[in-house]
């Protein structure tokens, strides 16, 4: 659809940026915090661990001042569960409580709306030792954690996110750390964990509406439109399969309180069906979101089989399309129409518009983007300058498509690219930088952790000031 006149971004649009606790805070064992699954994970010794990251825990006032200078209307961050409850439940950690009170107060003093994620991959290790998300007791522990957060911070937080990228934790549990190595019947285990997470999410949404009637809450999956490799009917069917398994399984449960039929059939065929009860399904039907947050980096392309000339690497499938290969259902394939970034991820701004339209058309709930960005090898130039024009080009193209989606009729109330400040990427360390603010450190040398504004900082500042109308690359820096 081509519009003769585009609709503007709405008044009061929440221009923001995002981080997560384990990737930005550091202070992994300070202030009474307990270990999480991230702290116990084994990563390559070639990249940074998560002990210090960007040291936001000690420098949050400096960082929030920079966010205010950037002009952020909202800041999406997560609460580290094990900072509030070092054992996942039981005794509340007063120092952890105080940290997030101070962070939220600092944001409020700068007129920045807190957008709080309850769970971003970092399950308390004490709960993992008791079975993690395979143990139904984790559902109750999460509900208690959520209720505590609502009671502590609900007077100052109006927007809540439940679980970040739950679909990625299930589709790639062995990569993200949801699934311990050597787990028997791993796929069945993951889909049972998914059911437990869905129950935990529903209970958190119910609790939010009970305790904070003025607040709004929603899920935050990673959603990508899925293209068929060709117009061959078998490829179209494969794309339909993958869309249901990758996207709609998670959002149908969150929004409709029922399992997606195609995804359910897939689980039944493969022997992955979770154990469920009528009482649990009733809870899922009660847990209604107020909006949908979604993370988007690129589209996926799948077919019924893999063309012989297709020479994609396994890394692409894991880090980009997250499609995997199951020749009875779908096969991830290359898309020759799209360019790639330094990390071999596709760049597909038009897919962003398509994804937003598909979500809104299916659920008719307001949308907010909670991740979208470009990881790159940023280099520090003379005068502590970072000329990240490639990031500006990426974000500009995606914001253009968001405005087109709004013009298509999509109700969108915010955009929070990844990330506000450089942080440690889950699998590529600090070298894969996303932020508008450069953190002066490398994989193993913390240097001085100084903050430097990138060219994209000045550009995004102007984007916010113009409410998305001025996306030109040329900017004074």
């Amino acid at each position: 659809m081509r519009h003769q006149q585009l609709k503007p971004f709405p008044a009061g649009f929440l221009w923001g940026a995002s981080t997560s606790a384990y990737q930005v805070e550091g202070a992994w064992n300070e202030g009474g915090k307990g270990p999480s699954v991230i702290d116990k994970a084994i990563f390559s010794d070639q990249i940074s661990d998560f002990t210090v990251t960007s040291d936001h825990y000690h420098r949050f006032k400096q960082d929030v001042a920079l966010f205010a200078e950037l002009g952020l209307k909202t800041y999406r961050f997560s609460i580290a569960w094990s900072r509030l409850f070092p054992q996942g439940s039981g005794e509340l950690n007063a120092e952890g409580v105080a940290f997030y009170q101070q962070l939220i107060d600092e944001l409020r003093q700068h007129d920045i709306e807190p957008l709080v994620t309850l769970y971003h991959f970092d399950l308390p290790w004490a709960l993992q030792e008791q079975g993690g998300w395979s143990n139904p007791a984790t559902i109750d522990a999460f509900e208690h954690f959520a209720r505590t957060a609502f009671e502590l911070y609900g007077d100052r937080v109006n927007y809540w996110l439940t679980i970040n990228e739950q679909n990625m934790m299930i589709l790639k549990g062995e990569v993200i750390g949801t699934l311990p190595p050597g787990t028997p019947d791993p796929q069945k285990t993951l889909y049972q964990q998914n059911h437990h997470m869905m129950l935990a999410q529903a209970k958190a949404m119910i609790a939010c509406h009970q305790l904070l009637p003025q607040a709004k809450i929603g899920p935050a999956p990673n959603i990508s439109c899925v293209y068929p490799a060709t117009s061959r009917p078998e490829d179209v069917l494969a794309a339909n399969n993958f869309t249901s398994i990758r996207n709609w399984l998670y959002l149908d449960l969150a929004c409709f309180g029922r399992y997606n039929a195609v995804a359910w059939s897939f689980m039944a065929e493969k022997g992955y069906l979770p154990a469920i009860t009528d009482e649990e399904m009733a809870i899922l039907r009660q847990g209604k979101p107020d909006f949908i947050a979604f993370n988007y980096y690129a589209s996926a392309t799948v077919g019924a089989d893999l063309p012989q000339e297709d020479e994609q690497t396994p890394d692409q499938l894991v880090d980009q399309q997250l499609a995997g290969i199951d020749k009875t259902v779908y096969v991830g394939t290359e898309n020759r129409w799209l360019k790639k970034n330094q990390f071999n991820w596709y760049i597909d701004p038009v897919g962003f518009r398509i994804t937003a339209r598909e979500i809104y058309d299916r659920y008719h709930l307001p949308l907010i983007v909670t991740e979208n960005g470009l990881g790159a090898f940023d280099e520090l130039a003379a005068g502590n300058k970072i000329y990240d024009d490639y990031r500006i080009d990426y974000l500009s193209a995606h914001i253009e498509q968001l405005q087109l989606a709004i013009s298509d009729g999509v109700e969108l109330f915010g955009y929070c690219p990844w990330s506000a400040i450089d942080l440690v990427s889950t699998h590529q360390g600090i070298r894969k930088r996303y932020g508008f603010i450069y953190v002066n450190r490398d994989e193993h040398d913390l240097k001085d952790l100084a903050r430097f504004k990138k060219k994209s900082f000045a550009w995004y500042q102007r984007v916010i000031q113009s409410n998305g109308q001025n996306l030109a690359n040329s900017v004074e820096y």
Side-chain angles (χ1 to χ4, degrees), residues 279-291:
E279 181 184 5
E280 290 169 348
M281 294 309 297
I283 292 170
L284 288 171
R285 287 190 292 272
Q286 291 175 44
K288 300 290 187 182
D290 301 295
F291 62 88

Side-chain angles (χ1 to χ4, degrees), residues 8-308:
F9 285 92
F13 189 78
L14 293 178
W15 295 99
S18 298
T19 65
S20 82
Y22 80 89
Q23 292 173 279
V24 77
E25 284 181 6
W28 73 282
N29 62 350
E30 296 182 46
K33 179 183 177 294
S36 74
V37 292
I38 299 295
D39 299 319
K40 295 290 186 176
I42 299 173
F43 296 98
S44 167
D45 60 5
Q46 301 301 309
I47 64 172
S48 172
D49 58 26
F50 296 93
T51 57
V52 176
T53 62
S54 306
D55 198 34
H56 181 66
Y57 183 83
H58 296 109
R59 300 165 186 255
F60 71 90
K61 290 189 176 182
Q62 175 190 0
D63 292 340
V64 171
L66 285 167
F67 299 163
E69 183 183 347
L70 180 57
L72 295 189
K73 307 301 182 185
T74 189
Y75 170 52
R76 182 215 174 186
F77 64 96
S78 71
I79 293 175
W81 186 346
S82 63
R83 200 175 287 286
L84 289 194
F85 291 101
Q87 298 301 310
S89 60
E91 186 176 352
L92 185 62
N93 174 34
E95 288 185 78
V97 170
F99 170 70
Y100 292 112
Q101 286 175 335
Q102 293 167 28
L103 173 58
I104 291 168
D105 287 345
E106 196 72 18
L107 291 168
R108 281 290 177 201
Q109 288 171 19
H110 287 86
D111 296 320
I112 299 173
E113 186 79 40
L115 175 59
V116 178
T117 310
L118 290 169
Y119 180 64
H120 196 124
F121 298 165
D122 52 352
L123 186 71
W125 180 248
L127 295 181
Q128 182 67 18
E129 288 186 302
Q130 298 167 29
W133 284 109
S134 293
N135 185 350
T138 302
I139 302 170
D140 295 330
F142 181 79
E143 182 186 8
H144 179 61
F145 161 60
R147 283 182 175 272
T148 302
F150 299 150
E151 290 167 353
L152 289 170
Y153 311 120
D155 60 331
R156 287 154 292 163
V157 176
N158 297 313
Y159 295 96
W160 298 86
L161 307 176
T162 53
I163 298 176
N164 179 74
E165 294 193 349
Q166 180 173 328
N167 53 339
M168 296 301 99
M169 286 189 279
I170 303 306
L171 287 166
K172 289 295 170 185
E174 74 281 7
V175 176
I176 293 177
T178 315
L179 200 66
T183 300
D185 207 353
Q187 292 302 310
K188 185 174 178 63
T189 298
L190 283 167
Y191 283 106
Q192 187 66 59
Q193 290 183 351
N194 178 63
H195 185 71
H196 291 162
M197 286 187 204
M198 281 294 174
L199 284 168
Q201 173 173 264
K203 288 189 172 187
M205 291 192 292
I206 293 167
C208 183
H209 293 142
Q210 289 174 344
L211 297 171
L212 307 174
Q214 83 288 354
K216 298 183 184 300
I217 189 168
N222 180 307
I223 303 296
S224 294
C225 63
V226 181
Y227 303 134
T230 71
S231 57
R232 185 173 60 138
E234 290 81 0
D235 290 341
V236 176
L237 183 62
N240 185 272
N241 289 339
F242 187 49
T243 301
S244 293
I245 294 165
R246 186 197 193 284
N247 297 332
W248 306 148
L249 165 61
Y250 305 90
L251 284 177
D252 281 6
L253 272 168
C255 299
F256 300 146
R258 65 173 184 261
Y259 272 88
N260 176 273
V262 172
W264 184 264
S265 178
F266 162 75
M267 291 186 290
E269 172 68 23
K270 299 296 181 181
Y272 302 158
L273 283 179
I276 64 175
T277 67
D278 291 342
E279 181 184 5
E280 290 169 348
M281 294 309 297
I283 292 170
L284 288 171
R285 287 190 292 272
Q286 291 175 44
K288 300 290 187 182
D290 301 295
F291 62 88
I292 295 171
F294 73 102
N295 301 344
Y296 174 91
Y297 290 93
S299 57
T301 304
V302 303
D305 45 47
L306 190 65
Q308 291 184 352

